[in-house]
Amino acid sequence: MPVDTRPIGVFDSGIGGLTVLRQLVAMFPDERFVYLGDTARVPYGNKSADTVQRYSRECADFLLEHNVKLIVIACNTASALAIDNVRSFTDVPIIGMIEPAARHAVQASKTGNIGVIGTRATISSNAYEVAIRQVVTSSQSNAGRPWKVPTLVSRPCPLFVPLVEEGWTDTEATRMIAEVYLKPLLSQHIDTLVLGCTHYPLIAPLIQSIAPGVTLIDCGHAAAQAAADVLGQPTTRMTEPSASAIREHVSFYLTDYTPSFQMIAKDFLGVAVEEPARTILRDLQVPSQR
Ligand code: DGL
């Protein structure tokens, strides 16, 4: 049992963060979690920074009301656009997707040719580029790497999110789209690719088959390791979280409940969520319809 029994808060624009939750529960099977998916306002990936910051703050507020000891922003878009904003109004530690994945990418790359894919908002924020350059600069002297300056190539892949949500993780159509998206990155001879969106782990096998030999960075896995550092506790790394740990230790909250949630959640989490998710919370505002 953890010494500090307060739960870990996790939020995402919707269900993509379940791939991160999966990694967290596998890493900390004795911890309790509160997961909030802002399903009423998903996607964040094509919204403005102002809007993503407002939504992220509301999600973080909700988790803070649940007395969480740590917040994991399990959404690359929210991490890219809103982590500083969220950090500015709480002392609770905040882990995003970008910094941990940037560290893993720098450690993994042998050539310094690193690719990043994500939503339009994540890629146009340049958050990964900034984070990767910061990691390289801060660890330059002792890294012993054969390269000094990273060559970064990034690309938004907006079609991946709806394809994954449709369950088209291994179809010919998805493969063709992935080949088009990845071509400019592979032509730059990347040896490492950051999957900079929480939906992408579901198509990691397909991406790997198009990019054999390229090391794929799973931001959820990187974030779970960062959480272990912040919590300062020994980790129990299991390949998959146990179904009982998910059912007994995770409270799910969604801002909208759709019948497809349980089906999609099983794909993302690897375990069926049997308890119906509790819907709607506080006063999260759904944008007014015109
Ligand atoms: N979860 C988001 C991310 O990781 C993708 C979905 C969205 O656009 O909200 O960027």
Side-chain angles (χ1 to χ4, degrees):
M1 255 303 171
V3 180
D4 180 345
T5 56
R6 289 177 299 164
I8 297 171
V10 181
F11 81 83
D12 175 44
S13 56
I15 51 171
L18 294 175
T19 60
V20 181
L21 181 68
R22 183 177 182 158
Q23 300 279 353
L24 287 164
V25 180
M27 184 79 89
F28 309 110
D30 296 325
E31 293 282 352
R32 291 185 303 121
F33 295 87
V34 179
Y35 180 90
L36 171 61
D38 194 3
T39 41
R41 303 188 293 196
V42 70
Y44 284 9
N46 53 13
K47 295 201 166 64
S48 69
D50 274 0
T51 298
V52 173
Q53 284 168 11
R54 185 160 53 87
Y55 289 177
S56 300
R57 175 158 185 165
E58 289 170 349
C59 291
D61 272 344
F62 171 82
L63 295 174
L64 291 169
E65 281 166 15
H66 283 72
N67 194 28
V68 295
K69 61 183 167 193
L70 167 70
I71 291 179
V72 178
I73 305 182
C75 172
N76 281 269
T77 307
S79 303
L81 301 180
I83 195 164
D84 291 341
N85 188 270
V86 173
R87 279 183 175 144
S88 71
F89 68 82
T90 177
D91 292 334
V92 168
I94 311 286
I95 291 177
M97 296 293 98
I98 313 283
E99 294 152 10
R103 268 199 302 280
H104 277 220
V106 170
Q107 279 160 13
S109 180
K110 299 201 165 42
T111 61
N113 295 342
I114 300 173
V116 181
I117 54 175
T119 63
R120 283 194 198 289
T122 297
I123 298 304
S124 57
S125 75
N126 283 328
Y128 268 109
E129 283 78 347
V130 171
I132 287 170
R133 289 189 201 288
Q134 263 170 10
V135 173
V136 171
T137 313
S138 61
S139 58
Q140 193 106 50
S141 54
N142 55 13
R145 281 186 304 272
W147 53 275
K148 294 285 174 238
V149 182
T151 305
L152 301 173
V153 43
S154 58
R155 170 138 206 198
C157 301
L159 293 173
F160 281 164
V161 166
L163 286 167
V164 166
E165 293 203 0
E166 276 305 304
W168 286 29
T169 50
D170 191 21
T171 65
E172 205 40 44
T174 307
R175 172 173 294 278
M176 284 166 65
I177 290 166
E179 280 170 357
V180 173
Y181 278 151
L182 296 176
K183 197 170 174 191
L185 291 95
L186 295 175
S187 70
Q188 295 289 316
H189 308 292
I190 57 165
D191 74 342
T192 303
L193 176 64
V194 179
L195 304 181
C197 171
T198 50
H199 283 65
Y200 298 175
L202 277 93
I203 48 169
L206 184 136
I207 291 174
Q208 190 76 81
S209 71
I210 296 169
V214 172
T215 303
L216 304 184
I217 305 296
D218 179 331
C219 51
H221 177 55
Q225 292 198 331
D229 293 342
V230 168
L231 295 173
Q233 56 165 275
T235 57
T236 318
R237 175 81 193 142
M238 293 189 240
T239 335
E240 288 298 334
S242 75
S244 62
I246 288 178
R247 290 192 193 113
E248 287 159 27
H249 295 181
V250 185
S251 305
F252 290 97
Y253 293 87
L254 303 177
T255 54
D256 187 23
Y257 180 75
T258 56
S260 60
F261 170 76
Q262 262 152 321
M263 187 191 78
I264 299 177
K266 183 169 186 314
D267 287 347
F268 277 68
L269 209 46
V271 168
V273 179
E274 284 178 359
E275 290 295 306
R278 277 164 271 178
T279 57
I280 308 296
L281 35 113
R282 299 191 331 121
D283 55 351
L284 292 184
Q285 304 284 313
V286 177
S288 56
Q289 308 287 318
R290 290 195 199 184

